[in-house]
Amino acid sequence: MTLASQNANNNDQEVILVTGGAGFIGSHTVVQLLTLGKRLVIIDNLCNSSEEALHRAKVLADNKGSLVFHKVDLLDAAAMEHIFQLYTFSACIHFAGLKAVGESAQIPLGYYQTNVTGSLNLIQLLQKYNCKNLIFSSSATVYGLPTSKDPINEDAPIGALNPYGRTKQYIEEILADIAVSEPDQWNIILLRYFNPVGAHESGKIGEDPNGIPNNLMPFVAQVAIGRRPVISVFGDDYDSPDGTGVRDYIHIVDLARGHVAALKKLETAQSTGRTLGCVAYNLGSGVGYSVMDMIHTMSKAVGRSLPYKVVGRRAGDVGTVIADPSRSFKELGWKAEKTMQDMCDDLWRWQTQNPDGYTTAEETSAPTTPTPAPHSAFTELLE
Amino acid sequence: MTLASQNANNNDQEVILVTGGAGFIGSHTVVQLLTLGKRLVIIDNLCNSSEEALHRAKVLADNKGSLVFHKVDLLDAAAMEHIFQLYTFSACIHFAGLKAVGESAQIPLGYYQTNVTGSLNLIQLLQKYNCKNLIFSSSATVYGLPTSKDPINEDAPIGALNPYGRTKQYIEEILADIAVSEPDQWNIILLRYFNPVGAHESGKIGEDPNGIPNNLMPFVAQVAIGRRPVISVFGDDYDSPDGTGVRDYIHIVDLARGHVAALKKLETAQSTGRTLGCVAYNLGSGVGYSVMDMIHTMSKAVGRSLPYKVVGRRAGDVGTVIADPSRSFKELGWKAEKTMQDMCDDLWRWQTQNPDGYTTAEETSAPTTPTPAPHSAFTELLE
């Protein structure tokens, strides 16, 4: 029986809506939530993700909890409304969105439409169907240019520097305005991710970027596996110990656990009636690693040195960006636990087991079963 | 013959799309453009404006130029696309949007959807149908809290302080990103309005706000005409000559002329091939008047003193906001010419001739003729 039919019959089940749940961060969070026995409805347009990640997530969670998947685009207002008619959601975790900084400068309109208009569509439905518990995937990029090398806390001024970052900033500000406009109704947690890397320790799920990776570590992994010839290091004249840029890398499983901690915060707020309004939390380790640190650690994981060349700085890059994660520790009881070597070992395991990402998957479970018209845009994962 | 049919037959006519053309600023600009012989297609959802304003605008322009009106909402993507299929636009002046600061804090989602999503829909069509000449109605509110009493120029940092202002800021930033993403293609002028007041000197068109006016001068006019009992003066302890807030008021006809100047700038850019990208211009007088200045000047226009009471400051208000309009003078050849007394005399003429705004209009010209299905959402003004 699918979760869809369960819920059609029993609307008081607590069901969590996960948008973009098939993506990198989404799928790792899905494993955590399923393991806790949560019931999930996942929507994703699969434009930069694979349904295969969800099949594997179910296996990694030992088939605990339940999930049903619908291939839906946030911009398809009718399909979105149908989802809200099918289920009663207790909370929403909103991952869906385009995420490549460089691409966002090339096609800003697409980014604003997908991320901002898509989120507005979702928010309207959350409001209409009275699901006012929301976790939103934001990014440290909202902080823009840090004024110092000090760790950044959530009260730092925000001001994103590229279209991607602006979409995150706008959605944050919109959510804050909505929480203020309906006092004592909304529990909204903005999670500002620093630099998520690594993969599930099983090597079964991981990051599978379309085209040339935008971020350092997927690029490093693709060089290590032989898909790309050499790592480009953008600048070695920053004010940092080895001159290369320093970032706050966070293991994807730690990041996923951060969502579980945020969800607990929402549940506590609901049960105590003390609404949160809209609150931001950093998800970072609080520790900075340089580009060279990461390349060397990845070399250890791989067992040989990796080719790199130093090229010029990239426009808009800064030397050091590190989270101050103390509010997350204090208020969510969460902190990053995995090491830099864990990040690299797990990334390498994923990369070697899946040299071409999900596209070479040999272990697809049951084929997807399209539901009959008029909902033919939906695909369901049978349980 | 309607302009619609002319253009259906003759797509090389230069036609300007005016969104929100039936509103306060829109209708005054329409008079200026028609007087110059321009061909206009006006769309408006009439949620806070009246088609009657367009009938009167045609008369005020001595039936020069041409206009056709379609009742269309920017959020209705199919109806919008149909408009772009009917006409070939040489430029667009984008006035449409919700505009009340207070209301925007109460229903932020509606503001973000109408203003931001609506603008994204429009921009997508401008891009698709290759009409890359755009004038956008922005606002001095994007400057947020001024850091001093000095006149504000266009390079001042922006950071709006309320949802309405954020919608304007976001659209500005989105347009700037789009201009950068398609170099040498876009001519975009952002017009940052200060405080538009007054009415056409004929008294035939003017500001007709729904409900309680948000801005000082329509409120003053409604007190003068007896619709409201007393003017509230929000704070008399600001650092200004008489202690009341100082603003840069600009006569609506001067503001409308600013759009003509901006349109000439776009036309020059097109004809010379020197694209503008995205440029902001202040439309303000450069002179500050206090609340008491405005009340006294309005009293002169009315011929008797007007009742007012000083109440506490409003949250978020600042003492002094004045434009530095020098860039507009230098690059658009435009400056404000009308006096404070003109603003009050013309406002009073409009108010006395139309005590209830357009709702009591006795001089409606031809009834609107709905076009046949499937375009029944459209209404056309016959020429």
Side-chain angles (χ1 to χ4, degrees):
Chain A
M1 189 167 67
T2 66
L3 185 61
S5 57
Q6 284 173 9
N7 274 281
N9 298 330
N10 185 355
N11 271 331
D12 60 355
Q13 298 278 0
E14 291 231 320
V15 182
I16 300 168
L17 174 64
V18 182
T19 77
F24 176 43
I25 304 175
S27 59
H28 285 79
T29 303
V30 163
V31 171
Q32 298 289 322
L33 295 171
L34 290 177
T35 303
L36 291 170
K38 300 291 183 186
R39 298 173 170 278
L40 309 180
V41 169
I42 295 172
I43 60 175
D44 201 303
N45 70 1
L46 300 180
C47 82
N48 189 21
S49 59
S50 170
E51 204 176 325
E52 174 64 17
L54 296 177
H55 289 281
R56 297 188 189 183
K58 278 176 64 74
V59 174
L60 291 174
D62 288 332
N63 286 302
K64 290 182 189 158
S66 68
L67 77 80
V68 59
F69 170 66
H70 295 280
K71 183 171 186 283
V72 174
D73 193 302
L74 290 182
L75 293 175
D76 184 342
M80 285 294 294
E81 176 109 35
H82 185 70
I83 295 290
F84 277 79
Q85 286 166 343
L86 279 177
Y87 308 97
T88 300
F89 298 118
S90 60
C92 173
I93 307 180
H94 176 30
F95 293 105
L98 298 174
K99 62 179 184 178
V101 170
E103 185 184 58
S104 78
Q106 291 158 5
I107 51 165
L109 184 64
Y111 270 68
Y112 289 114
Q113 289 184 309
T114 301
N115 292 12
V116 179
T117 299
S119 295
L120 290 171
N121 288 351
L122 176 67
I123 295 165
Q124 182 179 28
L125 290 165
L126 293 171
Q127 202 170 50
K128 178 172 177 182
Y129 290 90
N130 201 35
C131 171
K132 296 185 175 176
N133 301 293
L134 175 64
I135 296 170
F136 171 61
S137 285
S138 189
S139 166
T141 193
V142 301
Y143 293 119
L145 211 61
T147 50
S148 78
K149 293 198 292 180
D150 295 337
I152 303 168
N153 73 31
E154 294 85 349
D155 297 326
I158 70 173
L161 300 175
N162 54 65
Y164 162 71
R166 278 190 273 279
T167 67
K168 294 294 179 186
Q169 177 186 332
Y170 295 175
I171 301 163
E172 281 202 359
E173 292 172 339
I174 289 166
L175 289 170
D177 285 336
I178 283 166
V180 168
S181 75
E182 299 188 310
D184 302 324
Q185 293 194 37
W186 286 85
N187 297 299
I188 301 172
I189 292 180
L190 314 173
L191 294 179
R192 294 179 180 158
Y193 309 148
F194 281 68
N195 293 65
V197 296
H200 191 272
E201 63 180 3
S202 66
K204 297 291 183 190
I205 59 173
E207 187 167 11
D208 183 20
N210 280 344
I212 301 173
N214 298 283
N215 299 321
L216 174 68
M217 292 311 287
F219 200 103
V220 168
Q222 291 192 3
V223 169
I225 203 75
R227 279 174 65 182
R228 307 195 181 274
V230 62
I231 302 160
S232 296
V233 176
F234 295 105
D236 64 351
D237 55 351
Y238 286 107
D239 177 19
S240 72
D242 62 22
T244 64
V246 170
R247 293 293 180 274
D248 185 320
Y249 295 93
I250 174 168
H251 194 291
I252 186 66
V253 173
D254 279 333
L255 195 78
R257 286 177 40 250
H259 293 76
V260 173
L263 188 65
K264 281 189 185 147
K265 181 88 174 169
L266 292 188
E267 289 167 348
T268 304
Q270 282 179 268
S271 63
T272 61
R274 285 196 292 269
T275 50
L276 298 176
C278 182
V279 198
Y281 293 102
N282 285 339
L283 292 186
S285 68
V287 180
Y289 298 113
S290 75
V291 173
M292 291 313 302
D293 288 336
M294 297 305 283
I295 293 174
H296 290 144
T297 309
M298 191 67 180
S299 294
K300 273 193 229 171
V302 174
R304 60 189 161 79
S305 64
L306 297 172
Y308 67 88
K309 63 176 179 195
V310 176
V311 295
R313 292 184 180 194
R314 280 189 306 197
D317 270 359
V318 293
T320 298
V321 182
I322 302 174
D324 173 353
S326 54
R327 184 190 285 176
S328 299
F329 183 60
K330 194 174 156 204
E331 299 185 14
L332 300 179
W334 170 92
K335 65 180 171 64
E337 292 175 351
K338 297 209 177 234
T339 66
M340 177 169 49
Q341 194 64 55
D342 293 333
M343 300 177 202
C344 292
D345 289 347
D346 293 340
L347 171 57
W348 185 235
R349 194 173 300 110
W350 154 255
Q351 187 71 63
T352 48
Q353 290 185 19
N354 306 272
D356 297 309
Y358 290 112
T359 54
T360 52
E362 293 165 12
E363 48 192 14
T364 305
S365 47
T368 58
T369 310
T371 46
H375 309 306
S376 56
F378 299 166
T379 313
E380 294 189 9
L381 256 184
L382 298 177
E383 293 201 74
Chain B
M1 188 167 66
T2 66
L3 185 62
S5 57
Q6 284 175 6
N7 274 282
N9 299 329
N10 186 353
N11 271 330
D12 60 356
Q13 298 277 1
E14 290 232 322
V15 182
I16 300 168
L17 174 64
V18 182
T19 76
F24 176 43
I25 305 175
S27 60
H28 286 79
T29 303
V30 163
V31 172
Q32 300 288 323
L33 295 171
L34 290 178
T35 303
L36 291 170
K38 300 291 184 186
R39 299 173 169 277
L40 310 179
V41 169
I42 295 172
I43 60 174
D44 201 303
N45 69 2
L46 300 180
C47 81
N48 188 22
S49 59
S50 169
E51 204 175 325
E52 174 63 18
L54 296 177
H55 290 281
R56 298 189 188 182
K58 278 176 64 76
V59 174
L60 291 174
D62 289 332
N63 286 302
K64 290 182 189 157
S66 68
L67 78 79
V68 58
F69 171 65
H70 295 279
K71 183 169 186 283
V72 174
D73 192 302
L74 290 183
L75 292 176
D76 184 343
M80 286 293 295
E81 176 110 34
H82 185 70
I83 294 291
F84 277 80
Q85 287 164 344
L86 280 178
Y87 308 97
T88 301
F89 298 117
S90 60
C92 173
I93 307 180
H94 176 31
F95 293 105
L98 298 173
K99 62 179 185 180
V101 170
E103 186 183 58
S104 79
Q106 289 157 7
I107 50 164
L109 184 63
Y111 270 68
Y112 288 115
Q113 289 183 311
T114 300
N115 292 11
V116 179
T117 299
S119 295
L120 290 171
N121 288 351
L122 176 66
I123 294 164
Q124 183 179 29
L125 290 165
L126 293 171
Q127 201 172 50
K128 178 173 176 181
Y129 289 91
N130 202 33
C131 171
K132 296 186 175 175
N133 301 294
L134 174 65
I135 296 170
F136 171 61
S137 285
S138 190
S139 166
T141 193
V142 300
Y143 293 120
L145 211 61
T147 50
S148 78
K149 294 199 290 181
D150 295 337
I152 302 168
N153 73 32
E154 294 85 348
D155 297 327
I158 70 173
L161 300 174
N162 53 65
Y164 162 71
R166 276 189 274 279
T167 68
K168 294 296 180 186
Q169 177 187 331
Y170 294 175
I171 300 164
E172 281 202 0
E173 292 172 338
I174 289 166
L175 288 170
D177 284 336
I178 284 166
V180 168
S181 75
E182 299 188 311
D184 303 324
Q185 294 194 37
W186 287 86
N187 297 298
I188 300 172
I189 292 181
L190 313 173
L191 294 180
R192 294 178 180 160
Y193 308 149
F194 280 68
N195 293 66
V197 295
H200 191 271
E201 63 180 3
S202 66
K204 297 291 184 192
I205 59 174
E207 188 167 11
D208 183 20
N210 280 343
I212 301 172
N214 298 282
N215 299 321
L216 175 67
M217 293 311 287
F219 200 101
V220 167
Q222 291 192 3
V223 169
I225 203 77
R227 279 173 66 182
R228 304 194 184 274
V230 61
I231 303 160
S232 296
V233 176
F234 295 105
D236 64 351
D237 56 352
Y238 287 107
D239 177 19
S240 72
D242 63 20
T244 63
V246 170
R247 293 291 180 275
D248 185 320
Y249 294 94
I250 175 167
H251 194 292
I252 185 67
V253 173
D254 278 334
L255 194 78
R257 287 176 39 251
H259 293 76
V260 173
L263 188 64
K264 281 191 186 144
K265 181 86 175 170
L266 292 188
E267 289 168 349
T268 303
Q270 282 179 269
S271 64
T272 60
R274 284 197 294 267
T275 50
L276 298 175
C278 181
V279 198
Y281 293 102
N282 285 340
L283 292 186
S285 69
V287 180
Y289 298 113
S290 74
V291 173
M292 291 313 302
D293 289 336
M294 297 305 284
I295 293 174
H296 291 143
T297 310
M298 191 66 181
S299 295
K300 272 194 230 171
V302 174
R304 61 186 162 79
S305 66
L306 297 172
Y308 67 87
K309 64 176 179 193
V310 176
V311 295
R313 293 185 180 194
R314 281 189 306 198
D317 270 359
V318 293
T320 298
V321 182
I322 302 174
D324 173 353
S326 54
R327 185 191 286 177
S328 299
F329 182 61
K330 193 173 157 205
E331 299 185 15
L332 301 180
W334 171 91
K335 65 179 169 63
E337 292 175 353
K338 297 206 177 238
T339 66
M340 177 170 46
Q341 195 64 56
D342 293 333
M343 299 176 203
C344 291
D345 291 347
D346 294 340
L347 171 57
W348 185 234
R349 193 173 301 109
W350 155 254
Q351 188 70 63
T352 48
Q353 290 185 20
N354 306 272
D356 297 309
Y358 291 111
T359 55
T360 53
E362 294 165 10
E363 48 192 12
T364 304
S365 49
T368 58
T369 310
T371 46
H375 309 306
S376 55
F378 299 167
T379 313
E380 294 190 7
L381 256 185
L382 298 176
E383 291 200 77

